Amino acid sequence: MSNAKHFVFPEKINKNDQKNDDKEFGLWANEQAVTSIILLFFGGIIGVAGMFSNWQFAASVIPASFLLFLIEWPRGSRKNGKTTIPRRCQNHLSALVGNITPLRNYYLRAIISIIVCVPSCFLLPTVIGGLCLFISSIIYLVAAINGEEWKPQQAKIELTNPTFSPPNSPPPRNPQDAKV
């Protein structure tokens, strides 16, 4: 019995000590929205191609999801100024979204997401994407209540290394021959 390992309970965390500043819901909502928009787009294509009843809802979801994808594709920067890994071709869309000031507001993004997700819930192929988009609109609403706003990522200036000359001797080289 003396050799038995006992479970040690972690200290109780005081909820007043935790700050809500380290949680950024806007980035999470963006990732959720991009995934749900892709689901909506392909669900709309399936709904139109399969000629489901009420396929007109699927036809309306396709262009709406494409426009919402253009808004949601660029990732924003974090509150502390650090940048996340940029997505491919996000620089041009980031400039577009950054110049249209109302699109920076997460309240507006939540409302747009709810408007797009309503017609998608009337058709089976688009219902999963619609429910995921509804969840992302709730996350955007939480981000807006916490005072977050979309900020474009700043372009990084890459410093290039100086050009090195090729080695003068073939391998193996002695360490004393190395030029520093």
Side-chain angles (χ1 to χ4, degrees), residues 64-178:
S65 63
F66 180 73
L67 292 174
L68 197 56
F69 183 80
L70 293 177
I71 294 170
E72 294 292 339
W73 183 250
R75 282 187 178 135
S77 62
R78 303 184 77 175
K79 277 185 182 180
N80 57 9
K82 293 182 181 177
T83 59
T84 57
I85 299 171
R87 291 186 177 125
R88 184 174 278 177
C89 302
Q90 103 168 16
N91 294 334
H92 305 294
L93 292 174
S94 180
L96 174 77
V97 173
N99 288 335
I100 303 173
T101 307
L103 293 179
R104 293 181 177 194
N105 191 349
Y106 284 152
Y107 283 114
L108 183 67
R109 286 188 181 207
I111 291 169
I112 291 172
S113 297
I114 289 174
I115 290 171
V116 171
C117 82
V118 167
S120 65
C121 291
F122 292 114
L123 193 60
L124 184 62
T126 58
V127 74
I128 292 177
L131 292 176
C132 290
L133 193 61
F134 180 72
I135 291 169
S136 67
S137 68
I138 291 172
I139 300 169
Y140 268 135
L141 192 61
V142 170
I145 289 171
N146 286 341
E148 295 181 36
E149 187 179 58
W150 187 86
K151 296 174 199 157
Q153 289 186 1
Q154 302 296 328
K156 291 182 180 180
I157 300 172
E158 295 184 18
L159 300 175
T160 58
N161 291 335
T163 308
F164 294 108
S165 60
N168 294 334
S169 60
R173 294 176 196 83
N174 294 329
Q176 61 264 24
D177 292 340

Side-chain angles (χ1 to χ4, degrees), residues 8-115:
V8 179
F9 290 101
E11 295 179 18
K12 290 186 178 180
I13 299 172
N14 188 0
K15 291 189 177 183
N16 295 332
D17 292 341
Q18 291 180 345
K19 292 184 179 179
N20 207 13
D21 295 339
D22 59 345
K23 297 176 186 79
E24 294 186 32
F25 291 100
L27 296 174
W28 179 32
N30 181 265
E31 295 292 329
Q32 176 77 20
V34 168
T35 306
S36 59
I37 289 166
I38 292 170
L39 286 172
L40 265 179
F41 184 75
F42 287 117
I45 290 173
I46 291 170
V48 171
M51 293 302 284
F52 282 79
S53 61
N54 298 330
W55 63 271
Q56 295 87 359
F57 290 115
S60 68
V61 164
I62 293 171
S65 63
F66 180 73
L67 292 174
L68 197 56
F69 183 80
L70 293 177
I71 294 170
E72 294 292 339
W73 183 250
R75 282 187 178 135
S77 62
R78 303 184 77 175
K79 277 185 182 180
N80 57 9
K82 293 182 181 177
T83 59
T84 57
I85 299 171
R87 291 186 177 125
R88 184 174 278 177
C89 302
Q90 103 168 16
N91 294 334
H92 305 294
L93 292 174
S94 180
L96 174 77
V97 173
N99 288 335
I100 303 173
T101 307
L103 293 179
R104 293 181 177 194
N105 191 349
Y106 284 152
Y107 283 114
L108 183 67
R109 286 188 181 207
I111 291 169
I112 291 172
S113 297
I114 289 174
I115 290 171

